[in-house]
Amino acid sequence: MIHLRAFAAKFKPQNIKRFAQNNAVLFQSRLYTVLETSEPSLNGNNSNYLEEMYYAWLKNPKSVHKSWDTFFQNSDTIAPAGLAGTGSPIENLPPSVDSRGTMQASANVEKLIEDHLAIQSLIRAYQIRGHHVAQLDPLGILDADLDSCVPVDLLTSMDKLGFYGLHESDLDKVFRLPTTTFIGGNETAISLREIIRRLEETYCRHIGLEFMFINDVEQCQWIRQKFEIPNILHFTNKEKRRLLARLVRSTRFEEFLARKWSSEKRFGVEGCEVLIPALKTIIDVSISMGVDNVIMGMPHRGRLNVLANVIRKDLEQIFCQFDPKLEASEEGSGDVKYHLGVYQERVNRTTNKQVSMSLVANPSHLEAVNPVVQGKTKAEQFYRGDTKGKKVMSILLHGDAAFAGQGIVYETFHLSDLPSYTTHGTIHVVVNNQIGFTTDPRMARSSPYPTDVARVVNAPIFHVNGDDPEAVIYVCQVAAEWRNTFNKDVVIDLVCYRKRGHNEVDEPMFTQPLMYKQIHKQVSVLKKYADTLISEGVLTQQEFEEEIANYDRICEEAYSRAKDEKILQIKEWLDSPWPGFFTLNGEPKSMTCPPTGLPVDILQHIGKVASSVPVENCTIHGGLSRILRGRAGMIKDQIVDWALAEYMAFGSLLKEGIHVRLSGQDVERGTFSHRHHVLHDQEVDKKTCVPMNHLWPNQAPYTVCNSSLSEFGVLGFELGFAMASPNALVCWEAQFGDFHNTAQCILDQFVSSGQAKWVRNNGIVLLLPHGMEGMGPEHSSARPERFLQMSNENSDVYPRYTEDFEVKQLFDCNWILVNCSTPANYFHVLRRQILLPFRKPLIIFTPKSLLRHPEAKSPFDEMVTGTTFQRIIPDTGLAAQNPNDVKKLIFCTGKVYYELAKERTNRNMQSEVAIIRMEQLSPFPFDLLEKELGRYPDAEIIWCQEEHKNMGYYDYVKPRFKTLSQYEKSVRYIGREPAAAPATGNKNTHLAELQHIMDQSFNLKAFRDVC
């Protein structure tokens, strides 16, 4: 209380008068406003009287004249500091007090102000720390914040009143409430006893609120008002019956599965059955506010229940998944039932409005789906012009251990308010089982709560006891209203328990004996809530039993129908359908791809815009002006470099109505300062120009956006964005190709295997800068070997040749891998990605030094109408003219071609050595390579790469070349020796290694003595 006394001392009468004299004019104007007149007879000599009025009003507002009461209520100061020397009410003025009264009042000043400051501090203490003592654990075992200590400034016993300088004798004193609380309701002053009771009721029962860290006063006031007003948690009998009915469905669904498939893993929601009513409430409230598209992501726990009772997937489609005799369709490898996603359009029964709902498929990698959901949500908002998120929203479910432990949660939160990534508020629901598999939360996190990560974005956190259904539902209502009001994230921490082990066949007593002894005694939330409603007369026991019997009958009927299902149709579980893109059977409408070239006039037009500043009065950097002049020169000469080729691919697609989105770290300029798609005014802050959006009158929009310094989160986001529509080219570029490995989870679980598991086409493009250029082990390799290893092509089988061989290969693969050596081929492969009649992920190993290499330019002739992507680029020089004289046939890919070609010229070996570039690595171009091998019958076959032998492409191409030659010819390797690191950090060593590769490549006797 020392700080309170020190503050109160500042308001002793002499200080009040001094302060009043300095502010007389200000307060005079305020007082005149109240009186609508001025009274010059009241001057500084009457300050004592004014002080007395104020102190009397503080003690009891009704003890002063109503005109004084009006004045003090309208004043925004807590002390009469400005009253000296001002006008005052003159009607019914009581006689001036004598000096003895003044002295007596002065003696009470310090105590009076100190007590009111104490009340303010007390209220604030509960608002900040009340959640620490809230009764959140349904089991009554653990403190939700993992700390049994009680904050010293919370009044858990009357002896703590002394902390605030108060005493039990003050409990019935009436205190005016500050404007930062709503516990008074319609009352402006209540007793200390009632203040404490209402604070306890609001902050220390079954709801714990964390919001005072938010640095926006309006938002804090909004939350206070939603929870502090007395008796705010009020439900009608109709609402209570609806809540009970939803609890019945949630509970009985789990019990039905347990009866029918007791030994099957299903990852039920038992112990948190209130999750289903909670989600349905969020959706109901959101729909009532205008939302008509809800996209959800969640882990496996409770997924089947959410599918059944929130998404309302047909029960027989769920039950048949448990049948061990159910045959898999030929559409893919499939996935376990508690990973599947689904898309559903239905009428919301509460609002009677149409709603689309998606539950995105998710692997066992907890939280990995978060950015995917956000990307899909952003895309749906973008295509609908929903710039405030009023129509499309996302809901993310989490487990407590994963929410605290997985870094992707943090990465996703940091996308929440970025202009090109925000979804305008996500509602997060943490199913807080207070355990992670077998790990006690006290060993699983260092933070008090699993939800503390949300503080970084000022998201309010509502902790709530899962065994208090009405408290849960109210919190969910407020969360939905918060998102609609402020377009910001909000977190609901649903504190509950896990009735069984990690799965239904797991034994939790091994590691949590005390917890599970209590769980075994626990009465279900359905039983407790039903008993409460029956005792309140809301419904009868018979009505409750009829509700149960009705849902049990629904489940039994669906179970009977499920027995008729013989084949699992994976396409029934598609979470992102593309109406009209495929046939009704889900097949491509054709198996052809049109040429990807363009008329010269279109190339010229795009090039002209790319080399200009199409916005008036935009002053760009001098160095950038030189770059634009250089582009204009290339367009005049009808050639393109890498940046211009990309510009033309993007620009032409925009003309055709295809949205293009390029995202990643530094993509606006380009890591290597080659792209410059956003031009910055050098004199006006934040003034930019994106020439790509000024190409055509009715073009599709182009989005280019620098991302946060995240790979896992941003790649997941772009993958989700690409899920929403096939008519968009969505590209993610790594700063360096090496850095994609921090997003390996997205690559492994979603990109490479997503279609096989979930029948989900996705056309995302990854741009991964790659090349050995002496930049060290972390700025050299995009790890092509990893992508090639995950390609689903059989290296030992030569594919059957058909007329549509090239497109059929692409259709059958799981992703496409290319390493283009010319700008023209880069241009074509980007356009082909959209012109194909289906969608596959495209991985492009992009160059670094080739961006400015004088030889790495393409003429318009390689990009005009009729031209197309070249899967391989054959040798067209002297070697091709006399193939029988060729001694060495070198196959390579990417940048190393230019080094080989230069070395061949320097050694004058153009007739003896042929060099063929493989532009498309996977699917492997068997048909074209077979022709090339037959063309050079006497040549020694070499695979040359700049990567180390245990990396790069050699292990991928070697068995395929053997298949091509029917094991009659071997493929020699030339490249760096096996190594642990992708590249050396020593420039001299790098150059020596490169020279060794060149020497071997052009030594015709290098393998003479090798069997």
Side-chain angles (χ1 to χ4, degrees):
M1 291 308 296
I2 296 176
H3 62 290
L4 293 176
R5 291 192 177 96
F7 187 71
K10 297 179 181 179
F11 291 90
K12 291 182 179 181
Q14 61 269 33
N15 293 328
I16 293 173
K17 290 176 181 177
R18 189 179 302 117
F19 186 76
Q21 292 167 1
N22 293 334
N23 295 274
V25 175
L26 172 64
F27 279 90
Q28 188 171 9
S29 65
R30 290 181 182 166
L31 193 54
Y32 291 167
T33 301
V34 176
L35 299 174
E36 297 184 17
T37 185
S38 62
E39 284 297 324
S41 61
L42 290 172
N43 52 38
N45 295 329
N46 300 101
S47 61
N48 286 340
Y49 175 74
L50 300 180
E51 291 163 23
E52 288 303 319
M53 289 299 99
Y54 180 71
Y55 298 139
W57 176 79
L58 276 179
K59 288 183 177 180
N60 183 0
K62 295 180 180 180
S63 68
V64 300
H65 189 267
K66 62 181 181 181
S67 58
W68 281 112
D69 184 40
T70 301
F71 170 72
F72 289 132
Q73 285 193 41
N74 290 335
S75 175
D76 62 357
T77 181
I78 62 168
L83 295 181
T86 69
S88 61
I90 59 173
E91 295 184 28
N92 302 315
L93 285 178
S96 179
V97 295
D98 58 17
S99 59
R100 184 174 54 186
T102 301
M103 292 178 62
Q104 184 177 357
S106 299
N108 294 328
V109 170
E110 187 172 345
K111 171 63 176 172
L112 186 61
I113 294 178
E114 184 177 301
D115 286 352
H116 276 82
L117 291 174
I119 295 302
Q120 286 186 325
S121 296
L122 172 64
I123 293 170
R124 184 172 175 80
Y126 274 87
Q127 291 171 339
I128 295 174
R129 284 178 286 280
H131 57 87
H132 287 295
V133 295
Q135 301 164 20
L136 299 175
D137 181 13
L139 303 177
I141 297 175
L142 291 174
D143 295 285
D145 62 353
L146 306 184
D147 190 350
S148 59
C149 298
V150 177
V152 295
D153 52 355
L154 299 183
L155 300 181
T156 51
S157 60
M158 288 302 105
D159 59 348
K160 285 192 172 184
L161 283 170
F163 178 82
Y164 293 98
L166 300 169
H167 307 281
E168 285 195 49
S169 59
D170 296 318
L171 287 173
D172 294 316
K173 285 184 180 178
V174 175
F175 293 90
R176 292 193 64 81
L177 297 171
T179 58
T180 54
T181 187
F182 294 87
I183 60 172
N186 295 325
E187 302 172 278
T188 59
I190 57 177
S191 69
L192 174 59
R193 188 185 305 277
E194 188 63 13
I195 289 172
I196 296 172
R197 188 192 71 79
R198 294 186 187 184
L199 290 173
E200 292 279 345
E201 190 67 29
T202 299
Y203 292 103
C204 305
R205 295 293 183 258
H206 288 162
I207 298 175
L209 304 174
E210 285 190 275
F211 67 97
M212 290 292 283
F213 53 83
I214 296 175
N215 52 19
D216 185 294
V217 174
E218 179 190 358
Q219 294 174 11
C220 289
Q221 283 290 78
W222 189 91
I223 294 173
R224 292 184 188 112
Q225 188 171 18
K226 289 294 181 181
F227 288 97
E228 289 187 347
I229 293 176
N231 303 314
I232 194 71
L233 269 73
H234 176 74
F235 293 87
T236 64
N237 286 351
K238 180 181 179 181
E239 290 170 335
K240 291 180 178 181
R241 291 174 72 103
R242 181 192 301 136
L243 171 53
L244 181 69
R246 289 173 170 178
L247 274 175
V248 166
R249 287 174 172 261
S250 176
T251 304
R252 297 301 289 183
F253 177 82
E254 297 294 349
E255 293 178 357
F256 182 83
L257 296 184
R259 289 196 304 273
K260 298 296 184 181
W261 299 283
S262 59
S263 61
E264 283 280 339
K265 293 180 182 179
R266 57 188 183 276
F267 296 96
V269 77
E270 295 132 305
C272 191
E273 291 88 349
V274 76
L275 174 66
I276 302 305
L279 292 176
K280 292 177 77 70
T281 298
I282 292 170
I283 294 168
D284 289 348
V285 175
S286 299
I287 292 173
S288 71
M289 294 176 174
V291 169
D292 59 20
N293 191 343
V294 180
I295 301 170
M296 300 173 60
M298 68 177 297
H300 44 279
R301 186 165 310 288
R303 193 179 194 91
L304 297 181
N305 209 321
V306 169
L307 285 167
N309 291 313
V310 178
I311 308 292
R312 292 223 299 267
K313 178 72 174 173
D314 292 340
L315 291 177
E316 54 265 36
Q317 289 286 330
I318 297 174
F319 294 160
C320 74
Q321 299 276 333
F322 289 91
D323 186 353
K325 297 180 181 179
L326 189 68
E327 297 180 13
S329 68
E330 297 180 356
E331 296 176 71
S333 59
D335 203 348
V336 291
K337 48 190 168 290
Y338 37 80
H339 286 172
L340 299 176
V342 73
Y343 173 85
Q344 198 93 334
E345 293 183 359
R346 64 176 179 83
V347 174
N348 177 262
R349 293 169 181 166
T350 303
T351 62
N352 202 34
K353 293 181 178 180
Q354 188 75 15
V355 60
S356 301
M357 301 188 68
S358 300
L359 180 62
V360 177
N362 188 41
S364 284
H365 296 65
L366 301 176
E367 309 296 338
V369 78
N370 296 358
V372 180
V373 169
Q374 300 299 67
K376 178 174 165 58
T377 303
K378 182 65 175 180
E380 298 286 359
Q381 292 173 348
F382 177 82
Y383 296 130
R384 294 185 58 179
D386 185 14
T387 58
K388 297 295 182 183
K390 298 299 182 182
K391 296 294 183 182
V392 185
M393 69 172 292
S394 57
I395 301 174
L396 288 176
L397 279 70
H398 315 269
D400 53 315
F403 200 65
Q406 294 291 305
I408 188 57
V409 176
Y410 184 87
E411 290 188 35
T412 305
F413 265 120
H414 270 286
L415 297 176
S416 66
D417 207 26
L418 302 182
S420 296
Y421 302 87
T422 180
T423 57
H424 308 288
T426 297
I427 299 178
H428 302 263
V429 181
V430 178
V431 178
N432 188 348
N433 294 314
Q434 306 182 85
I435 188 174
F437 205 146
T438 66
T439 303
D440 188 296
R442 291 168 291 191
M443 308 300 166
R445 66 177 188 263
S446 298
S447 61
Y449 296 101
T451 53
D452 286 332
V453 64
R455 286 172 165 257
V456 300
V457 292
N458 278 337
I461 303 166
F462 304 147
H463 308 279
V464 60
N465 188 316
D467 265 14
D468 186 341
E470 292 184 6
V472 171
I473 296 310
Y474 184 74
V475 159
C476 291
Q477 290 174 356
V478 174
E481 292 170 8
W482 164 274
R483 182 202 174 269
N484 183 72
T485 303
F486 297 107
N487 302 119
K488 289 176 64 68
D489 285 28
V490 57
V491 177
I492 300 169
D493 179 20
L494 202 52
V495 186
C496 52
Y497 58 92
R498 190 185 67 197
K499 186 176 180 180
R500 305 179 191 275
H502 175 65
N503 58 63
E504 286 70 18
V505 297
D506 190 47
E507 176 51 74
M509 290 287 285
F510 290 150
T511 51
Q512 276 76 32
L514 298 181
M515 172 181 274
Y516 276 86
K517 284 179 182 178
Q518 180 60 40
I519 289 174
H520 293 156
K521 300 175 186 177
Q522 198 78 0
V523 178
S524 74
V525 65
L526 174 61
K527 177 70 167 62
K528 287 192 282 191
Y529 191 58
D531 289 348
T532 299
L533 297 193
I534 292 170
S535 67
E536 292 176 356
V538 175
L539 81 166
T540 65
Q541 180 69 33
Q542 181 180 350
E543 289 174 321
F544 173 54
E545 292 173 356
E546 288 174 354
E547 187 75 39
I548 291 177
N550 181 51
Y551 187 68
D552 285 353
R553 183 175 61 256
I554 292 172
C555 290
E556 288 292 349
E557 291 172 354
Y559 177 69
S560 298
R561 293 192 299 271
K563 295 178 180 178
D564 298 330
E565 298 286 342
K566 303 300 181 184
I567 298 177
L568 171 61
Q569 299 292 341
I570 305 178
K571 64 185 178 184
E572 297 290 338
W573 295 85
L574 186 61
D575 55 16
S576 299
W578 293 339
F581 186 70
F582 294 111
T583 66
L584 293 178
N585 294 326
E587 298 296 325
K589 293 181 178 179
S590 73
M591 287 301 286
T592 60
C593 180
T596 48
L598 293 171
V600 172
D601 60 329
I602 291 181
L603 297 176
Q604 290 277 12
H605 174 74
I606 297 173
K608 181 179 179 181
V609 175
S611 55
S612 67
V613 184
V615 173
E616 294 183 359
N617 301 319
C618 183
T619 305
I620 64 173
H621 191 277
L624 191 51
S625 297
R626 288 192 297 272
I627 292 174
L628 297 187
R629 288 195 298 270
R631 287 181 180 175
M634 283 190 286
I635 297 303
K636 182 179 179 181
D637 296 336
Q638 294 199 345
I639 59 173
V640 298
D641 62 2
W642 215 269
L644 264 178
E646 181 182 77
Y647 221 109
M648 290 178 174
F650 288 177
S652 60
L653 292 174
L654 295 173
K655 184 179 188 297
E656 297 162 17
I658 301 298
H659 169 55
V660 178
R661 176 182 170 94
L662 175 60
S663 166
Q665 297 156 23
D666 314 298
V667 296
E668 294 179 7
R669 191 203 74 170
T671 299
F672 311 103
S673 196
H674 70 288
R675 182 173 288 125
H676 297 288
H677 283 189
V678 178
L679 310 181
H680 292 260
D681 193 299
Q682 297 295 298
E683 297 177 357
V684 182
D685 185 33
K686 297 183 180 179
K687 182 180 178 181
T688 60
C689 169
V690 181
M692 196 87 74
N693 279 322
H694 297 268
L695 286 167
W696 321 99
N698 298 308
Q699 68 173 70
Y702 173 56
T703 302
V704 56
C705 43
N706 290 340
S707 73
S708 64
L709 201 67
S710 157
E711 287 82 30
F712 192 166
V714 176
L715 177 56
F717 187 98
E718 301 309 330
L719 178 82
F721 201 104
M723 284 169 55
S725 171
N727 299 315
L729 184 70
V730 181
C731 307
W732 175 76
E733 182 174 69
Q735 191 178 67
F736 285 88
D738 315 62
F739 299 161
H740 79 260
N741 57 10
T742 61
Q744 198 67 47
C745 177
I746 296 294
L747 294 170
D748 292 351
Q749 312 309 133
F750 292 89
V751 182
S752 72
S753 57
Q755 183 177 356
K757 293 191 294 186
W758 307 316
V759 202
R760 177 200 288 166
N761 272 238
N762 196 295
I764 190 170
V765 178
L766 274 64
L767 306 177
L768 306 179
H770 172 82
M772 305 294 116
E773 294 167 354
M775 297 299 292
E778 272 73 59
H779 295 85
S780 298
S781 177
R783 298 285 190 173
E785 65 277 1
R786 295 181 178 176
F787 293 92
L788 293 167
Q789 185 187 41
M790 289 189 284
S791 295
N792 64 352
E793 188 179 63
N794 191 337
S795 63
D796 299 326
V797 176
Y798 186 100
R800 186 170 61 89
Y801 183 79
T802 59
E803 287 187 7
D804 56 4
F805 180 84
E806 179 180 351
V807 177
K808 183 68 166 58
Q809 258 200 317
L810 295 172
F811 179 71
D812 290 337
C813 74
N814 61 321
W815 54 14
I816 304 166
L817 309 179
V818 301
N819 188 354
C820 300
S821 63
T822 69
N825 237 12
Y826 180 51
F827 161 85
H828 285 298
V829 80
L830 288 173
R831 286 186 48 77
R832 186 185 73 170
Q833 184 70 357
I834 290 297
L835 295 179
L836 284 169
F838 47 81
R839 295 290 176 262
K840 298 285 180 174
L842 171 62
I843 317 300
I844 305 178
F845 302 111
T846 56
K848 293 174 289 184
S849 62
L850 293 191
L851 297 174
R852 294 178 177 83
H853 197 290
E855 300 297 322
K857 289 184 170 63
S858 298
F860 277 16
D861 290 346
E862 295 179 5
M863 303 166 65
V864 294
T865 302
T867 58
T868 188
F869 175 73
Q870 294 180 272
R871 289 179 289 156
I872 70 167
I873 299 180
D875 196 315
T876 57
L878 293 175
Q881 297 171 17
N882 301 285
N884 292 329
D885 296 335
V886 172
K887 303 295 188 296
K888 266 192 176 183
L889 176 58
I890 298 179
F891 290 92
C892 65
T893 185
K895 174 184 74 70
V896 74
Y897 163 76
Y898 290 93
E899 291 155 339
L900 289 169
K902 181 180 179 181
E903 190 73 15
R904 181 176 63 173
T905 300
N906 291 341
R907 299 189 184 215
N908 197 26
M909 298 179 70
Q910 293 93 327
S911 299
E912 298 170 279
V913 178
I915 305 174
I916 297 174
R917 286 171 272 178
M918 275 184 58
E919 303 286 289
Q920 178 175 295
L921 298 159
S922 180
F924 194 74
F926 281 98
D927 54 330
L928 300 181
L929 292 176
E930 182 180 37
K931 293 178 182 178
E932 294 301 316
L933 287 177
R935 191 176 181 185
Y936 302 95
D938 300 322
E940 185 178 36
I941 302 174
I942 303 293
W943 176 260
C944 179
Q945 66 180 38
E946 57 183 350
E947 296 83 3
H948 291 281
K949 188 175 184 179
N950 57 325
M951 302 175 195
Y953 322 92
Y954 179 61
D955 286 339
Y956 172 81
V957 302
K958 180 179 179 180
R960 287 164 175 80
F961 273 110
K962 286 186 175 181
T963 298
L964 269 177
S965 67
Q966 299 181 346
Y967 294 88
E968 293 180 358
K969 293 185 177 182
S970 59
V971 180
R972 306 298 188 185
Y973 168 80
I974 294 178
R976 288 178 167 86
E977 294 298 314
T984 178
N986 183 277
K987 188 74 172 181
N988 186 59
T989 302
H990 164 77
L991 294 174
E993 291 173 342
L994 178 61
Q995 188 57 50
H996 179 70
I997 293 173
M998 296 298 107
D999 291 342
Q1000 272 200 309
S1001 297
F1002 296 99
N1003 180 0
L1004 299 182
K1005 300 179 180 180
F1007 297 100
R1008 176 172 295 181
D1009 298 327
V1010 179
C1011 297

